């Protein structure tokens, strides 16, 4: 079992309480940061560690902090609006170890000279929001948040803000719109949040897992963190394993661990449900391209997954076995993007509905052969042409599945039913 | 009507943010908790406290799925419909719930006890299939667990009806 960083203490009873968290070294990193480092030195430390954002894009965290404009006030938004199908790590971090997140928020705020930080928690995760709020309250009472933190002269306010059901609010500019009390429509970029963000001020936005990693880096050093993972993808990350595996769950592994290990190793996924054959894997949440079973030896790091034709994204690894009807599965994912499109831009608002209509009629046996290329054509007119990445995300599963499993689409059109799975036509002998 | 106590809580919340209208979402939650849904009174109260127009508040309330535009059932059952729950068989469980509750997805039972919804990813893919009853998660669903849940809800409503001195049928009258 490799060394754990973020999930090291996740199952310690009572770790969600301040006293137990402190017994396990909690807030020592904050004390060290305030005592031994100037803010800029922490930015340099995180740059040196090689930490990259865990929300999806994988942008270098320290570099992002370094881009912040110098004017004040500055803001930090911790993005805990976890809604990507296949991803369920932030919920665990918030519910089980909220102080680790809060400590990361405080250190990051200090490093970026932020005076007000927001933790934006997905609305549906009511218990997670209560856990984070209680940790914030305990941290205020202990003097870790508020005026003159630990006598350092640094002051910070932290506000826990609960969303209300909108996937788009996980997109950074939509999150800021939502925090400002409006519909969660994405903003045009540039200007980027580092220059003009929340309330017009310079704003840093990081994912929950990213900020939960910061205390360990400050406590143990940049070189220690950089010793995990690969040359360009440093550290560990939480892989959320779901779908047709025997042991779904969250597993923290060094970046670069082969996909095969995550899925088949007895310590992790334990193999395919029902000992069936692997058909396909989505490596980074439903917004990323589907990979065929031949990519099973792909190392799970940003570069290798990109070279294999997909993205590491939010770390949501979704496994599909041989009995999965790919058209039905892709329809399900496309319905998500149709329902979650904010409606601001036409390609996404209209295109996702059209995609669902076409997929439905193919799935239900009323499709035409030309519909398959029409799907690709619509995807081409959404991807890269919509206002925010939701449009791109809506097309990934469609384009990659047609590339890998075109014969299944054609079978649907030709035979009027699924090729595999429970809705496949039974052989005549079996029907009798 | 929204109570003065609720409005006071909204004011306190608004004071925490750099800009008052940032409190519109938590304020809507407070108002919805009193009314059961985002009623006209709820919109007006939030607008008054945050110095916004009612239309402005409504534009926010109608964007987010967790604000109800109509009174929901006492138990709002949200079954995750997304890819990981689909791969683990959520469709059959939704059909089972439709049969047991006597309503289709998207509907509220005439007695006001249940609203059955299918929703997008609930961030519980590792314990799929999953549903939420109001705010509480129920994970690793099986047909047996769904049956037990419905039996439990029915027993709760029955006990509630008896404690109010009414028959369950009376409590569920249209």
């Amino acid at each position: 079992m490799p060394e754990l960083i973020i999930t090291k203490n996740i199952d310690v009873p009572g770790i969600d309480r301040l006293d137990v968290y402190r017994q396990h070294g909690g807030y020592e990193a904050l004390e060290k940061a305030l005592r031994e480092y100037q803010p800029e030195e922490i930015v340099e430390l995180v740059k040196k560690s090689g930490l990259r954002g865990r929300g999806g894009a994988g942008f270098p965290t320290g570099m992002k902090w370094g881009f912040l404009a110098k004017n004040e006030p500055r803001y930090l938004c911790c993005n805990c609006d976890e809604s990507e199908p296949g991803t369920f790590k932030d919920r665990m971090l918030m519910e089980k170890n909220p102080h680790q997140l809060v400590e990361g928020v405080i250190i990051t705020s200090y490093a970026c000279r932020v005076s007000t930080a927001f933790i934006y928690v997905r609305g549906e995760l009511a218990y997670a929001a209560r856990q984070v709020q209680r940790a914030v309250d305990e941290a205020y009472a202990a003097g870790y948040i508020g005026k003159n933190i630990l006598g350092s002269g640094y002051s910070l306010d932290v506000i826990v803000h609960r969303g209300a059901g909108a996937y788009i609010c996980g997109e950074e500019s939509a999150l800021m719109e939502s925090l400002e009390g409006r519909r969660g429509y994405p903003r045009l970029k540039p200007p980027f949040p580092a220059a003009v963000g929340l309330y017009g001020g310079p704003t840093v936005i990081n994912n929950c897992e990213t900020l939960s990693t910061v205390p360990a880096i400050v406590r143990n050093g940049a070189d220690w963190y950089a010793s995990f993972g690969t040359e360009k993808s440093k550290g560990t990350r939480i892989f959320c394993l779901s779908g047709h595996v025997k042991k779904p769950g969250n597993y923290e592994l060094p970046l670069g661990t082969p996909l095969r290990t995550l899925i088949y190793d007895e310590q992790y996924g334990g193999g395919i449900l029902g000992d069936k054959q692997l058909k396909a894997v989505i490596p980074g949440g439903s917004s990323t391209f589907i990979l065929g079973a031949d990519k099973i030896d792909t190392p799970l790091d940003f570069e290798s997954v990109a070279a294999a034709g997909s993205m590491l994204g939010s770390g949501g690894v979704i496994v599909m076995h041989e009995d999965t009807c790919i058209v039905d599965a892709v329809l399900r994912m496309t319905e998500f993007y149709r329902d979650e499109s904010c409606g601001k831009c036409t390609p996404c608002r209209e295109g996702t509905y059209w995609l669902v209509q076409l997929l439905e009629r193919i799935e239900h046996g009323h499709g035409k052969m030309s519909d398959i290329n029409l799907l690709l054509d619509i995807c081409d007119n959404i991807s890269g042409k919509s206002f925010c990445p939701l449009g791109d995300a809506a097309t990934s599963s469609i384009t990659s599945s047609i590339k890998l499993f075109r014969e299944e689409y054609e079978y649907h059109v030709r035979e009027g039913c699924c090729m595999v799975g429970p809705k496949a036509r039974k052989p005549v002998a079996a029907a009798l | 009507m929204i109570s003065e106590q609720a409005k006071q809580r909204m004011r306190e919340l608004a004071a925490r943010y750099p800009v008052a209208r940032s409190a519109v979402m938590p304020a809507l939650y407070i108002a919805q908790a009193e009314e059961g849904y985002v009623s006209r009174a709820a919109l007006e109260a939030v607008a008054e406290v945050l110095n916004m127009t009612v239309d402005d508040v409504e534009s926010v309330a109608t964007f987010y799925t967790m604000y109800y535009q109509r009174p929901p059932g006492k138990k709002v059952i949200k079954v995750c419909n997304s890819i990981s729950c689909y791969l683990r068989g959520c469709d059959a469980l939704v059909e089972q719930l439709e049969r047991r509750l006597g309503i289709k997805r998207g509907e509220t039972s005439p007695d006001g006890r249940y609203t059955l919804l299918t929703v997008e990813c609930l961030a519980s893919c590792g314990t799929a299939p999953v549903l939420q009853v109001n705010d509480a998660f129920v994970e690793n669903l099986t047909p047996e667990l769904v049956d037990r849940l419905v039996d439990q809800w029915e027993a709760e409503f029955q006990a509630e009806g008896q404690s109010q001195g009414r028959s369950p049928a009376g409590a569920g009258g249209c």
Side-chain angles (χ1 to χ4, degrees), chain B residues 18 116 123:
Chain B
L116 178 62

Side-chain angles (χ1 to χ4, degrees), chain A residues 86 88 91 122 124 159 161 163-165 178-184 199 242-245 328 332 336 339, chain B residues 16-17 21-22 24-25 29 59 62-66 81 84 86-88 91 120-121 123-126 132 139:
Chain A
F88 46 98
R91 180 184 160 207
R122 182 179 173 190
E124 286 85 344
I159 298 171
H161 186 94
S178 182
L179 255 177
E180 290 183 10
R182 287 188 282 271
R183 292 178 152 226
Y199 309 119
S242 69
H244 292 146
V245 286
D328 207 8
R332 194 59 59 110
F336 173 86
D339 292 350
Chain B
R16 298 201 61 206
Y17 287 89
R21 76 168 288 153
S22 281
V24 65
M25 289 167 71
Y29 275 128
S59 81
T62 51
F63 183 79
Y64 298 94
T65 59
M66 291 181 67
N81 198 39
S84 299
Y86 156 81
L87 293 171
R88 303 292 289 216
D91 288 3
E120 295 304 348
C121 188
S124 306
C125 320
Q132 264 190 317
E139 299 170 75

Side-chain angles (χ1 to χ4, degrees), chain B:
Chain B
M1 286 294 290
I2 304 299
S3 68
E4 189 49 43
Q5 193 185 10
K7 288 183 185 173
Q8 184 53 33
R9 283 176 56 209
M10 292 180 202
R11 287 187 200 101
E12 287 164 10
L13 269 168
R16 298 201 61 206
Y17 287 89
V19 173
R21 76 168 288 153
S22 281
V24 65
M25 289 167 71
L28 280 166
Y29 275 128
I30 292 170
Q32 178 165 272
E34 290 218 334
E35 294 281 281
Y37 73 112
V38 181
S39 62
R40 183 75 189 176
L43 294 171
E44 286 173 350
V46 174
E48 177 201 320
V49 170
L50 300 181
N51 196 24
M52 295 166 66
T53 66
V54 174
D55 286 353
D56 205 359
V57 177
E58 190 172 23
S59 81
V60 176
T62 51
F63 183 79
Y64 298 94
T65 59
M66 291 181 67
Y67 302 123
Y68 300 121
Q69 307 305 313
R70 290 183 294 281
K74 287 182 181 170
K75 289 191 186 297
V76 181
I77 299 135
K78 300 173 180 174
V79 189
C80 180
N81 198 39
S82 288
I83 181 69
S84 299
C85 284
Y86 156 81
L87 293 171
R88 303 292 289 216
C90 68
D91 288 3
L93 301 175
V94 174
E95 287 166 16
Q96 186 184 351
L97 279 163
E98 287 179 331
R99 282 195 304 275
R100 287 289 318 261
L101 302 178
I103 49 174
K104 294 286 179 194
R105 63 196 81 182
E107 291 179 352
T108 298
S109 59
D111 59 14
R113 287 180 174 184
Y114 302 106
T115 295
L116 178 62
L117 303 171
T118 51
V119 296
E120 295 304 348
C121 188
L122 285 173
S124 306
C125 320
T127 47
V130 65
L131 63 75
Q132 264 190 317
V133 193
N134 298 339
D135 274 348
F137 279 88
V138 186
E139 299 170 75
N140 294 307
L141 284 173
T142 60
E144 296 73 31
L145 180 52
V146 166
D147 270 337
R148 282 208 304 278
L149 278 172
V150 177
D151 291 344
Q152 182 193 318
W153 299 333
E154 287 295 303
E156 284 173 23
F157 280 122
Q158 198 164 7
E160 192 182 302
Q162 282 167 354
S163 72
Q164 291 170 358
R166 295 184 298 178
S167 69
C174 298

Side-chain angles (χ1 to χ4, degrees), chain A residues 318-331:
Chain A
I318 306 166
V319 176
M320 294 182 262
H321 67 34
E322 58 188 315
D323 292 346
T324 309
C325 169
I326 206 77
V327 179
D328 207 8
V330 168
L331 168 61

Side-chain angles (χ1 to χ4, degrees), chain A residues 59-265:
Chain A
F59 194 81
T61 304
M63 195 184 291
K64 184 187 254 190
W65 296 356
F67 287 156
L68 270 182
K70 301 298 175 204
N71 53 308
E72 293 185 0
R74 301 172 178 193
Y75 299 99
L76 168 70
C77 297
C78 176
N79 186 346
C80 301
D81 192 51
E82 180 178 62
S83 316
E84 170 88 356
T87 313
F88 46 98
K89 61 190 172 65
D90 296 350
R91 180 184 160 207
M92 175 187 74
L93 293 171
M94 287 187 282
E95 289 184 353
K96 291 190 165 186
N97 201 351
H99 275 290
Q100 180 177 253
L101 167 65
V102 171
E103 188 178 4
V105 166
I106 304 167
I107 296 171
T108 304
S109 298
Y110 172 68
C112 299
R113 298 179 188 272
V114 160
S115 54
T116 308
F118 296 88
I119 303 177
Y120 189 109
V121 182
R122 182 179 173 190
E124 286 85 344
L125 308 182
Y127 176 63
R130 286 198 298 274
Q131 286 286 83
V132 174
Q133 182 66 63
R134 199 185 62 191
V136 166
D137 292 344
E138 285 184 330
Y140 262 111
Y144 297 130
I145 308 176
K147 301 256 179 269
N148 191 20
I149 296 170
L150 302 175
S152 65
Y154 173 63
S155 300
L156 172 71
D157 274 316
V158 177
I159 298 171
V160 180
H161 186 94
R162 199 174 149 205
Y167 170 71
I168 188 60
C169 291
E171 194 278 334
E172 58 182 15
S173 65
L175 185 148
M176 294 189 298
E177 282 288 301
S178 182
L179 255 177
E180 290 183 10
R182 287 188 282 271
R183 292 178 152 226
Y185 287 141
R187 294 178 182 171
L188 187 68
K189 289 187 277 191
F192 291 98
V196 182
L198 192 65
Y199 309 119
T203 303
V204 59
I205 303 182
N206 285 129
N207 172 256
C208 174
E209 185 186 350
T210 314
L211 295 186
S212 293
T213 311
V214 169
I217 294 173
V218 171
R219 196 164 47 239
N220 299 300
D223 292 339
W224 168 83
Y225 188 76
S227 69
F228 301 94
T230 68
E231 190 180 343
K232 289 184 178 170
S233 298
K234 308 283 192 196
T236 64
R237 78 174 296 177
I238 301 170
F239 293 101
C240 315
L241 186 61
S242 69
H244 292 146
V245 286
K246 291 179 182 171
K247 294 193 295 177
N250 282 318
Y251 299 105
E252 183 182 356
L253 290 164
L255 283 158
T257 302
L259 186 54
R260 183 188 293 279
T261 304
L262 176 68
I263 293 176
Y264 285 98
D265 195 295

